[in-house]
């Protein structure tokens, strides 16, 4: 449940603005109830007569609506840029941007406070009201947030910042997995290529992506579980996702399945986003190979962190039962993220050179058991590249990059 709530909050674009809206309603109630209480404590200029207060509230509301209209128009432009220039999967990275959510939330809070007090201003008994002064303070805060929002937007549409954000996103997930292994909350075991399928089958209740494995539900359960899908896999309703190793079928939903993938437990999803940005960069419509090279370099650095762990599956144990959870192999991640580059950029020696450079970076601190996987990937690229198409100088450049990828760095 905790991870589900965390996933909902991380990927929700409405929760923070909703809290600000609720805050606006609460502030309106407090203003109406305690306005007279603060009459002798606050300066007189904060309190305005009814006509002046109504005029101020009306003006602030009008000006705020103008800023909101401009902000929403800007958001639509940015979303279009993300979808067309980068990847449709990166749109959520902007929607869940902290600065954008707080800016829209402050706009909503100020709007709700202003319009509600404008409605209640005629009900004031003393002939003066406090709400207009508070409204002015909120509008000033909204102007500051608006300037901050413009600065955030101008930074967000820069490809380098988006690539850096995805890079940090993946590294944070890998760091959490390493910490869990070091603290012995989870163990790495050899992957099982053959499953016994003995016991009670567990099937997907709906179609979608496996977003989370809810390991906190293990509790005091005494029944072993083995999964046949990894977090990030796509399953159809009724697909086999695992099985309980007993005749009993505990009423426990172990996987969170949804329409959209999440990188909370799946660093390969962030790698896939970077790969899609790279592919978009080398497409004829965009023609930005430098962004593609930059994205591939970030993929290499993420793989460097990921490859410090050997291939294997996660094993969760509470002393009474073991839950065996499938994990994507390095070979799968490498092939899915890097092989499309040779399909669409096999004539660009600099993009292909960055692919070999990414493999070299990934091997810097890689576990020794992964050597054969890297060698196999380099051999794959060596076989599929059309060497006869290149000039001898281009061949020399590319083979130099390839040879560096073959050698382990001491």
């Amino acid at each position: 449940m905790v991870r589900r709530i965390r996933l909902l909050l991380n990927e929700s674009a409405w929760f923070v603005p909703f809290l600000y809206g609720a805050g606006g309603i609460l502030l309106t109630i407090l203003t109406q109830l305690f306005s007279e209480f603060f009459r002798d404590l606050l300066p007189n200029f904060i309190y305005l007569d009814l006509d002046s207060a109504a005029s101020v509230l009306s003006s602030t509301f009008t000006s705020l609506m103008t800023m909101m209209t401009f902000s929403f128009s800007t958001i639509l432009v940015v979303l279009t840029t993300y979808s067309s220039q980068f990847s449709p999967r990166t749109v959520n990275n902007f929607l869940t941007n902290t600065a954008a959510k707080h800016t829209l939330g402050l706009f909503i809070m100020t709007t709700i406070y202003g319009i509600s007090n404008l409605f209640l201003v005629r009900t004031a008994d003393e002939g003066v009201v406090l709400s207009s002064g508070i409204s002015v303070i909120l509008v000033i805060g909204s102007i500051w947030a608006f300037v901050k929002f413009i600065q955030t937007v101008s930074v967000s549409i820069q490809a380098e910042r988006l690539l850096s954000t995805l890079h940090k996103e993946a590294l944070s997930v890998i760091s959490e997995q390493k910490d869990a292994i070091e603290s012995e909350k989870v163990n790495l075991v050899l992957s099982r290529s053959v499953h016994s399928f003995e016991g009670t089958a567990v099937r997907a209740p709906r179609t979608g992506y496996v977003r989370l494995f809810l390991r906190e539900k293990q509790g005091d359960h005494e029944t072993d579980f083995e999964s046949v899908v990894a977090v990030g896999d796509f399953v159809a309703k009724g697909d086999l996702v695992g099985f309980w190793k007993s005749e009993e079928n505990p009423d426990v939903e172990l996987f969170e399945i949804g329409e959209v993938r999440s990188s909370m437990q799946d660093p390969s999803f962030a790698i896939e986003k970077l790969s899609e940005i790279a592919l978009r960069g080398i497409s004829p419509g965009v023609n930005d190979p430098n962004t593609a090279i930059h994205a591939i370099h970030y993929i290499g650095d993420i793989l460097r962190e990921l490859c410090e762990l050997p291939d294997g599956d996660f094993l969760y144990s509470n002393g009474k039962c073991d839950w065996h959870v499938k994990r994507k192999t390095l070979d799968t991640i490498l092939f899915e993220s890097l092989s499309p580059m040779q399909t669409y950029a096999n004539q660009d020696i600099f993009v292909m050179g960055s692919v070999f450079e990414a493999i070299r970076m990934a091997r810097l601190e890689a576990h020794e058991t992964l050597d054969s996987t890297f060698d196999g990937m380099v051999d794959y690229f060596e076989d599929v590249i059309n060497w006869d198409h290149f000039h001898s100088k281009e061949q020399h450049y590319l083979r130099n990059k390839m040879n560096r990828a073959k050698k382990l760095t001491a």
Side-chain angles (χ1 to χ4, degrees):
M1 180 61 69
V2 175
R3 289 188 173 273
R4 281 183 170 179
I5 295 175
R6 180 184 166 192
L7 177 63
L8 177 64
L9 296 182
N10 286 347
E11 298 190 351
S12 172
W14 58 263
F15 184 73
V16 172
F18 171 79
L19 290 181
Y20 274 94
I25 296 174
L26 179 62
L27 186 59
T28 299
I29 296 173
L30 294 177
T31 302
Q32 295 298 319
L33 293 178
F34 299 104
S35 175
E36 185 59 29
F37 176 78
F38 292 103
R39 185 71 176 83
D40 298 329
L41 301 177
L42 297 175
N44 290 331
F45 68 83
I46 295 181
Y47 287 83
L48 298 179
D49 60 80
L50 298 184
D51 292 335
S52 298
S55 177
V56 169
L57 290 171
S58 178
S59 299
T60 55
F61 175 74
T62 303
S63 61
L64 191 64
M65 290 302 296
T66 303
M67 286 192 294
M68 288 184 63
T69 301
F70 182 82
S71 299
F72 281 113
S73 300
T74 304
I75 289 175
L76 293 177
V77 173
V78 173
L79 295 182
T80 302
T81 302
Y82 267 60
S83 181
S84 60
Q85 298 294 322
F86 303 136
S87 167
R89 299 193 184 205
T90 62
V91 168
N92 202 48
N93 286 85
F94 178 77
L95 290 177
T96 56
N97 182 280
T98 302
K101 289 192 291 187
H102 284 284
T103 300
L104 294 179
L106 188 56
F107 284 171
I108 292 173
M109 178 181 180
T110 306
T111 301
I112 291 177
Y113 182 81
I115 196 68
S116 58
N117 279 281
L118 185 60
F119 176 74
L120 298 172
V121 69
R122 299 294 180 182
T123 64
D125 297 330
E126 300 297 325
V128 292
V129 293
L130 174 64
S131 58
S132 57
I134 297 178
S135 180
V136 169
I137 295 174
L138 289 177
V139 170
I140 293 174
S142 298
I143 293 174
W144 175 86
F146 178 73
V147 175
K148 178 66 176 178
F149 174 73
I150 296 300
Q151 190 268 340
T152 301
V153 168
S154 64
V155 169
S156 298
I157 60 177
Q158 297 176 16
E160 292 80 4
R161 296 302 181 98
L162 176 59
L163 297 178
S164 178
T165 300
L166 295 174
H167 175 247
K168 294 175 182 177
E169 178 183 316
L171 293 187
S172 65
V173 178
I174 297 172
S175 178
E176 288 183 5
Q177 293 179 347
K178 288 182 178 179
D179 291 342
I181 294 172
E182 291 176 359
S183 61
E184 298 184 349
K185 294 180 181 179
V186 60
N187 297 311
L188 271 179
V189 296
L190 293 176
S191 302
R192 300 185 184 182
S193 56
V194 179
H195 300 274
S196 60
F197 297 105
E198 295 177 356
T200 305
V202 178
R203 302 196 176 273
R206 64 189 70 86
T207 298
Y209 289 98
V210 178
R211 309 177 73 194
L212 292 175
F213 176 74
L214 306 175
R215 59 181 184 236
E216 64 270 12
K217 291 190 175 183
Q218 188 171 29
D220 295 327
H221 280 281
E222 299 180 357
T223 307
D224 292 341
F225 174 81
E226 183 170 342
S227 73
V228 296
V229 296
V231 175
D233 288 346
F234 185 85
V235 295
K237 183 178 180 180
D239 266 348
L240 179 69
V241 296
F243 51 91
W244 297 102
K245 295 186 177 180
S246 71
E247 298 302 324
E248 301 178 359
N249 186 9
D251 187 18
V252 180
E253 187 176 351
L254 298 180
F255 294 100
E256 169 73 19
I257 299 175
E259 297 177 352
V260 183
R261 284 179 69 181
S262 169
S263 60
M264 183 175 290
Q265 293 181 350
D266 182 21
S268 64
F269 183 42
I271 295 176
E272 187 172 312
K273 289 181 184 179
L274 288 168
S275 178
E276 289 183 355
I277 294 174
L279 291 174
R280 190 64 62 92
I282 59 181
S283 65
V286 177
N287 192 23
D288 185 12
N290 288 327
T291 295
I293 293 172
H294 197 178
I296 294 170
H297 286 164
Y298 272 127
I299 291 175
D301 190 66
I302 295 172
L303 292 174
R304 176 186 59 79
E305 289 285 335
L306 187 64
C307 292
E308 292 181 9
L309 300 175
D311 268 343
D313 296 338
F314 291 130
L315 182 68
Y316 301 93
S317 179
N318 62 359
K320 298 179 181 179
C321 67
D322 295 331
W323 286 5
H324 188 281
V325 183
K326 191 176 180 63
R327 178 168 165 255
K328 285 190 175 183
T329 63
L330 175 64
D331 184 63
T332 300
I333 296 175
L334 279 175
F335 189 77
E336 290 180 350
S337 60
L338 297 180
S339 64
M341 305 304 165
Q342 67 84 20
T343 303
Y344 299 100
N346 55 3
Q347 306 299 320
D348 192 322
I349 62 169
F350 299 107
V351 173
M352 294 307 302
S354 68
V355 171
F356 289 125
E357 188 69 12
I359 296 176
R360 183 195 66 80
M361 287 189 288
R363 302 187 75 164
L364 289 176
E365 301 176 10
H367 197 273
E368 58 185 8
T369 58
L370 302 176
D371 288 347
S372 59
T373 302
F374 285 116
D375 290 337
M377 197 67 189
V378 174
D379 292 340
Y380 162 77
F381 281 111
E382 185 177 12
D383 291 339
V384 297
I385 290 176
N386 185 7
W387 296 97
D388 296 334
H389 177 79
F390 296 116
H391 186 272
S392 58
K393 194 171 185 64
E394 295 174 330
Q395 290 186 21
H396 175 74
Y397 172 85
L398 204 53
R399 288 191 181 277
N400 181 51
K401 291 286 186 179
M402 184 181 66
N403 291 333
R404 293 185 66 193
K406 288 182 177 180
K407 298 177 183 178
L408 287 176
T409 302

